[in-house]
């Protein structure tokens, strides 16, 4: 499981799946009371490699239940059923910007965009999650406006700890709302660099991501 969040009463998230066979079912199991469980089939998004796939889910959540939704992932393939239930704790549907009292979980991801949107027309303001692998770390956002012929970078800044050894960081890319371009997040720690580049597609300067 990568990350799920709640915005405008719609829960969206991404699921990392091992490609064990072409014929498979990936299902979101979610509940509002811990007793009654609902199901929503996830949809294939893209391949990361021949062995790894990304699937996505998108569900509507009633306004009066938006703070009580937990979920797990069911993966059925070759007659076997596999579960990701956050080691028995299930996952919480979260509102973005990391302002919540329930624990966040990144699982397979080391760094991942939370939200990115234009702020007063003068740039893209973004928030990200990353695993705190060491105190000394370098977190940057690389961006281009000419298809990576040239590129610039901005430093991300620490925001706060959000539990589960996960931190929230923020960044600001200066650009006007009409400027086209793309960006990706780089996180270097202990001599290793991790990326969130939107599964290889990068993020758009003119887009709005939640």
């Amino acid at each position: 499981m990568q990350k799920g969040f709640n915005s405008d009463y719609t829960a969206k998230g991404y699921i990392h799946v091992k490609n064990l066979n072409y014929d498979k079912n990936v299902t979101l199991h979610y509940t509002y009371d811990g007793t009654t469980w609902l199901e929503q089939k996830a949809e294939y998004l893209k391949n990361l490699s021949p062995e790894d796939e990304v699937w996505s889910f998108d569900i509507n959540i009633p306004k009066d239940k938006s703070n009580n939704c937990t979920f797990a992932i069911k993966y059925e393939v070759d007659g076997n059923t596999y579960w990701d239930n956050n080691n028995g704790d299930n996952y919480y549907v979260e509102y973005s910007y990391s302002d919540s009292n329930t624990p966040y979980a990144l699982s397979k991801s080391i760094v991942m965009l939370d939200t990115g949107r234009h702020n007063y027309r003068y740039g893209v303001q973004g928030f990200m999650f990353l695993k705190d692998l060491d105190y000394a770390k370098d977190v940057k956002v690389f961006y281009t406006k000419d298809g990576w012929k040239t590129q610039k970078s901005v430093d991300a800044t620490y925001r706060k700890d959000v539990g589960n050894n996960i931190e929230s960081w923020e960044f600001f890319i200066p650009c006007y709302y009409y400027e086209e371009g793309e960006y990706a997040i780089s996180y270097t720690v202990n001599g290793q660099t991790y990326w969130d580049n939107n599964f290889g597609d990068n993020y758009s300067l003119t887009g709005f991501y939640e």
Side-chain angles (χ1 to χ4, degrees), residues 65-123:
K65 298 179 180 179
S66 61
N67 294 323
N68 300 306
C69 186
T70 60
F71 64 94
I73 305 297
K74 181 181 180 181
Y75 176 31
E76 298 169 292
V77 62
D78 289 336
N80 296 313
T81 300
Y82 304 93
W83 286 90
D84 179 3
N85 61 3
N86 193 25
N87 296 318
D89 293 330
N90 293 325
Y91 293 99
Y92 285 85
V93 171
E94 299 284 9
Y95 188 78
S96 57
Y97 306 118
S98 66
D99 291 326
S100 175
N101 295 321
T102 49
Y104 282 81
L106 286 182
S107 191
K108 296 282 184 182
S109 296
I110 302 298
V111 57
M112 191 169 189
L113 180 71
D114 178 16
T115 58
R117 61 180 179 178
H118 280 278
N119 183 12
Y120 305 113
R121 300 194 305 170
Y122 298 119

Side-chain angles (χ1 to χ4, degrees), residues 5 15-16 36 59 70 114 149 202:
F5 51 82
I15 306 165
H16 174 242
T36 303
I59 60 172
T70 60
D114 178 16
K149 295 177 183 178
N202 294 323

Side-chain angles (χ1 to χ4, degrees), residues 131-145:
K131 289 185 178 180
D132 181 17
L133 301 181
D134 197 2
Y135 176 79
K137 55 177 70 76
D138 184 26
V139 187
K140 296 182 181 294
V141 178
F142 289 86
Y143 67 97
T144 182
K145 300 177 184 179

Side-chain angles (χ1 to χ4, degrees), residues 11 27-41 57-62 65 68-74 83 90-93:
T27 308
L28 180 77
H29 282 247
Y30 61 102
T31 181
Y32 302 118
D33 57 14
T35 301
T36 303
W37 289 85
L38 305 172
E39 292 188 354
Q40 173 70 49
K41 285 189 176 296
F57 63 84
D58 188 337
I59 60 172
N60 293 322
I61 298 179
K65 298 179 180 179
N68 300 306
C69 186
T70 60
F71 64 94
I73 305 297
K74 181 181 180 181
W83 286 90
N90 293 325
Y91 293 99
Y92 285 85
V93 171

Side-chain angles (χ1 to χ4, degrees), residues 182-194:
E182 52 189 325
Y183 66 93
I185 298 169
S186 168
Y187 169 32
T188 301
V189 60
N190 294 327
Q192 179 72 41
T193 298
Y194 304 93

